Amino acid sequence: MPVASAQPQCGIVESIAYPVDRGAFSIMQDFAVPNYRFRGMYHTGEDYAAGRGGTLGQPVRAIAAGRVTFSSPLAWGRDGGVVIIEHTFPDGSIFYSQYGHMVEVEGAAFPRPFTCVSEGDILGVIGEARPAPHLHFEIRNNNFDLAGPGYTEADPFEEGYRRPSKMLTNWQFALSEAHAWHLDVIDETGPRTPPIVLFDNSLLYLDTGRVSRVTSDGRVLWRTNLEREAVALLPATNAAIITYADGRMQPINDQGALGTSWETGIAPASAPMLVGSGFVFRTGDGGLVALNSDALTAAWRLADVPPIVRWASSGGVLALVTTSDELIVAANGEVISRQALAGAGSVTPTPDGALMAYAAGGIFRIDAPYALDGQPARTSGSALALAADGRAFVLDDGVLTAFAPDLGILYQYAVPGVGGVFDLALHGDILRFVSTHGDIGAVRTSDGVLCGLTRVFGDDRARLWSALGDDGILRVGIADQFVGIDWREFLGACG
Ligand SMILES: [Zn+2]
């Protein structure tokens, strides 16, 4: 029966939403975790429940328009019934959403097979299930007429199952007006070195053993596999220089051809930090090494530097915030100052060629005495940015604070729903931020208006990167995805 070779008889997905109210329901058992009640097999979906008896009898809704391919109140016996819906997405992909542990009640009968449903249609209500009432929700690309067992022996992803909250979050973004393109990378936390933007707004990035070039609109142009472990890409005239973990370097051109490699004797363990005209790396033995701009020889070395969480440089001076919440300022191989911060701080260059830092306790110029300004102690993945006129912006724990040049507070508010570690950048009057939780936002600095806010699926370990191209596309890297955002569309009325 050719049911799976879908004609989009029930429409193309134009919007998508969660099957239950995410304000009340949370994930009780995550995707792909082993469950020892089921011999350690892997969970094929996400289980949703609400607190304190708020789950039983709650409605379950279709996540998007689609066609019912399976519907049976008896599918899982005493553990309730199952509905499966087929969805056709604008890119032509087809996925099935499955809703399990439901029962029919008056006014909430299961939809009949082969009928069309719309986003938000009630499919049934949550019934009794072991060990407690919950919705088993899954998304997969096969078995349109099979109420699956909920667990697999093999990696569920390999079996065609997808992480439902990731699919929903990313499709919500992909279906939004500002979405331009989306590209998945392999490394779960994202490329370990920032991508390089080439002259035509294409990107060069390093991803688990290969370098790829992506066109300005998000299509992979070529990939070059590398024979050794690479840790960084350095921008170079003819594209980039690949830095290998064993200390070798090798040019790669914009067509993906590798040049002759050379030995530096320096084994980098971090992404490159641009200081003056050269690059500085943290090395595997816990030191810092600065390369001359020829990428051949070391300009200076420094021992005993803890892992780095933030850095900024200005006028050849490098400021580092370390995992041990220390602010280290170094230049030409010498430590200028070393001070303990209260919480995770951040640093940024100033327009006049100095550096500023933020930590619980306040903002201070690192070339001036630490000036406390009575700020409440809060820091968790803070970010700091400075405007040319001396105003400072801090995003910390989801709270945005704008400071006047004299550090008086101009405005302060909690940006709704954002969190994680932040990264900030300024473009004229617009401040943009990205976070490890997947948040992407834009704020008008003059009055603090939140102009745009969207979200992709995040990861607490995510590496962050963003760049606004001269083609009007904001390119963002969060964890294992790059996305392109139409900047003007995203800014809305602020644009
Ligand atoms: Zn489940």
Side-chain angles (χ1 to χ4, degrees), residues 29 43 47 134 136 151:
Q29 186 184 191
H43 196 216
D47 287 349
H134 66 274
H136 173 92
Y151 295 89

Side-chain angles (χ1 to χ4, degrees), residues 29-30 35 38 43-48 76 100-101 130 134-138 149-151:
Q29 186 184 191
D30 213 342
N35 186 312
F38 294 90
H43 196 216
T44 54
E46 289 169 341
D47 287 349
Y48 286 89
W76 281 348
H101 304 310
R130 290 169 288 182
H134 66 274
L135 171 69
H136 173 92
F137 173 53
E138 63 185 50
Y151 295 89

